[in-house]
Amino acid sequence: MSTELTGLPQIPAADVKKRGWRGIMRTITANGPVVVTNHSVPEAVILSAQQYQRLLAIVKENDSKSEASLQGLRHRFDERLAVLHNSDAANRLRALGKGAARLHGKVKAGTGY
């Protein structure tokens, strides 16, 4: 069983019928989400609607943060590529290609060329 599920209470699938829906919901109310197993193999997790809505809110918040981060990366990338629209960009690139690189044993990196 995955480590995320090991801490949750487990109910064999056969017990779901025995306990009935109300019994399962009492367990969920008392203990939180429940893992339903079949021959000790997890098959499902039952959780309350409120818990599910909290999970969706967390996912939505994380998606928003990820999108904002990606938008920032796109913006910085576009800013760096904007120098290629300068009128002298072609000449500067050609000049770079003509001469041999003089690195003197060092790696050269930077934001400009």
Side-chain angles (χ1 to χ4, degrees), residues 6-82:
T6 54
L8 297 176
Q10 297 180 21
I11 299 174
D15 284 4
V16 173
K17 262 189 177 178
K18 288 179 194 174
R19 292 181 185 201
W21 187 248
R22 285 189 184 152
I24 297 298
M25 289 311 295
R26 274 193 294 273
T27 302
I28 290 170
T29 301
N31 303 315
V34 174
V35 177
V36 179
T37 60
N38 187 13
H39 300 289
S40 300
V41 177
E43 287 197 338
V45 176
I46 302 175
L47 61 148
S48 71
Q50 183 182 13
Q51 291 166 328
Y52 181 73
Q53 288 173 335
R54 273 197 307 262
L55 288 175
L56 288 179
I58 291 168
V59 168
K60 186 176 181 179
E61 181 181 336
N62 286 336
D63 283 350
S64 296
K65 288 178 183 176
S66 294
E67 185 56 38
S69 295
L70 284 174
Q71 192 61 30
L73 286 172
R74 284 185 199 109
H75 180 71
R76 288 197 308 271
F77 184 75
D78 289 344
E79 282 179 338
R80 290 188 69 182
L81 285 180

Side-chain angles (χ1 to χ4, degrees), residues 81-108:
L81 285 180
V83 298
L84 295 177
H85 293 294
N86 293 343
S87 59
D88 67 337
N91 291 335
R92 289 176 68 192
L93 284 172
R94 277 190 213 95
L96 279 174
K98 285 182 182 177
R102 292 180 186 92
L103 300 177
H104 307 290
K106 297 180 182 177
V107 175
K108 185 175 180 179

